[in-house]
Amino acid sequence: MPKTQILLTGGAGYIGSHTIIELLHNGYEVISVDNYNNSSPKTYERICQITGDSIKHYDIDLCDLGLTKKVFDENAEIRGVIHFAALKSVPESVEKPVLYYRNNINSLLNILDCIRNYNIPNFIFSSSCSVYGNAGQLPVNEDTPIGIIESPYAYTKLLGERIIQDCAKVHSTIKALSLRYFNPVGAHSSGLNGELPTNRPNNLVPVITQTAIGKIKEMSVFGNDYKTRDGSCIRDYIHVSDIADAHVKALKYLLAEKQDSNYSLFNLGSGKGVSVLEAIQAFEKIAKLKLNYKIVPRRAGDVEAIYSDSTKAHKLLHWKPQHDIYSMMETAWEWEQHLAKNQ
Ligand code: NAD
Ligand code: WQD
């Protein structure tokens, strides 16, 4: 039987590459599109090392409609698209809003154009917990009102969700899902694939591992005066392989035509709030070392606490995260050590 063909955008990136690995393990054929603005084609070599499969890939900017159409012209059997490609740095989006709106919205519009014109039925979109802003009530579920959006990046996600919902309303052939990830961290259990920040990272876990390996001399904890159990911010960290697994389950859900409407939304989080200081302690425990950190004032734009109620994904997608904070830290640390030996 021919394999079901899935087009994945942003496949050379952090979450996309882990999802390719899970899709291949589940017997799908994957085609990837990326322009490597935050990644490298070397990712495909790592995927091949892990899975034994080399995948068809295109070096294309999805903001170019003509080139995007070419991918669909050349691959007539695509049954679904998972759209990861986007710029994702919150501070950079504040500095360069036009770049973020142009890249994240134009690429989405081009993909949606193709999905409609080439009759591709299934579509999955990478959204973010950043759309909740500073939520009044915790945990947040899909019915929690959208908060005050702090950055152009988060706005591209909210706008993206709305555009997809509007399209699904009028084009009944499109079946679409938006997945709101909380804080994806960790790396593949092989130690051979993980996040590759091209600049100095802003996110907590790469900052922790880079401090431990010595790339960062001293890390900062942004604030210990929040109204939380230890004064530092609380987040819902979720292993990247659990996020990847959720995409396979979401795809199966769409392919089995289980949706009762043609657009839905799911939170993907662990459901557990972990503070910055607890994350540091978890890392220190598994790596058996002390991190060099200092407490500094709050970072602008940070929400105090957020974590997910992902009951909807548990019930409808039959997805449950398998990894705890220790496994997230352990795999992230293995990956950082692998990079140190191989760069
Ligand atoms: P990433 O930067 O590692 O991967 C995104 C990939 O998309 C990169 O390889 C980049 O080169 C590619 N890309 C960007 N614009 C493109 C374009 N115009 N044409 C072709 N390729 C393009 O990011 P990630 O962490 O893997 O995130 C994947 C998705 O998940 C993004 O949409 C991101 O906004 C979303 N998300 C990420 C997080 C997170 O913390 N990592 C949290 C919530 C949501
Ligand atoms: C986590 C906590 C920091 C670095 C971001 C995006 C969000 C989503 C996930 C894409 C915060 C603290 C961090 C450091 C620290 N991405 N911290 N020292 O801000 O929750 O979410 O990634 O959609 O949109 O905003 O993640 O990892 O940056 O921060 O103390 O050096 O760690 O203050 O409390 P964040 P993060």
Side-chain angles (χ1 to χ4, degrees), residues 88 90 128 130 153 182-183 202-204 207 219-222 233 235 237 276 299 302:
K88 66 161 179 177
V90 171
S128 163
S130 54
Y153 164 75
F182 279 64
N183 287 52
N202 300 306
N203 296 121
L204 180 65
V207 167
M219 66 169 284
S220 300
V221 170
F222 298 126
C233 288
R235 295 289 181 274
Y237 299 97
V276 176
R299 181 172 75 174
D302 267 341

Side-chain angles (χ1 to χ4, degrees), residues 22 185-189 237-243 245 270 272 319-331:
E22 288 307 313
V185 298
H188 192 260
S189 57
Y237 299 97
I238 174 87
H239 198 290
V240 66
S241 294
D242 281 325
I243 293 279
D245 175 46
S270 72
K272 293 185 188 79
W319 170 77
K320 275 241 164 101
Q322 303 298 314
H323 299 266
D324 63 11
I325 189 73
Y326 296 103
S327 159
M328 297 178 213
M329 293 299 178
E330 194 172 10
T331 52

Side-chain angles (χ1 to χ4, degrees), residues 173-190:
T173 50
I174 300 178
K175 312 270 177 260
L177 297 181
S178 292
L179 303 178
R180 288 178 178 165
Y181 321 146
F182 279 64
N183 287 52
V185 298
H188 192 260
S189 57
S190 61

Side-chain angles (χ1 to χ4, degrees), residues 88-91 126-131 151 153-154 157 181-185 200-208 211 216 219-223 226 232-237 274-276 280 294 296 298-299 301-304 306:
K88 66 161 179 177
S89 161
V90 171
S126 297
S127 188
S128 163
C129 68
S130 54
V131 301
S151 69
Y153 164 75
K157 292 297 165 186
Y181 321 146
F182 279 64
N183 287 52
V185 298
R200 189 191 153 115
N202 300 306
N203 296 121
L204 180 65
V205 175
V207 167
I208 288 178
T211 306
I216 296 174
M219 66 169 284
S220 300
V221 170
F222 298 126
Y226 287 97
S232 64
C233 288
I234 289 182
R235 295 289 181 274
D236 185 335
Y237 299 97
V274 170
S275 75
V276 176
I280 288 176
K294 64 174 178 212
V296 301
R298 295 177 177 199
R299 181 172 75 174
D302 267 341
V303 300
E304 179 167 273
I306 187 158

Side-chain angles (χ1 to χ4, degrees), residues 61-127:
D61 184 344
L62 293 158
C63 294
D64 184 323
L65 180 59
L67 292 176
T68 307
K69 277 183 174 163
K70 210 165 157 263
V71 177
F72 288 86
D73 281 333
E74 289 178 8
N75 298 282
E77 300 302 320
I78 296 170
R79 292 284 316 282
V81 174
I82 308 183
H83 183 51
F84 290 103
L87 295 173
K88 66 161 179 177
S89 161
V90 171
E92 189 184 46
S93 79
V94 174
E95 296 291 314
K96 301 174 183 170
V98 173
L99 175 72
Y100 271 68
Y101 284 113
R102 182 179 288 137
N103 188 72
N104 293 1
I105 301 302
N106 283 354
S107 56
L108 172 65
L109 292 174
N110 287 346
I111 282 286
L112 285 172
D113 243 1
C114 291
I115 280 173
R116 201 160 47 89
N117 293 330
Y118 292 80
N119 286 318
I120 313 292
N122 304 301
F123 182 67
I124 298 175
F125 176 63
S126 297
S127 188

Side-chain angles (χ1 to χ4, degrees), residues 3 35 39 43 104 106 118 122-123 125 132 135-136 144 148 152 154 169 171 180 225 278 286:
K3 292 181 173 181
N35 66 350
S39 56
T43 306
N104 293 1
N106 283 354
Y118 292 80
N122 304 301
F123 182 67
F125 176 63
Y132 292 114
T144 300
I148 295 169
K169 225 182 264 171
H171 303 296
R180 288 178 178 165
D225 56 352
E278 287 165 350
I286 65 100

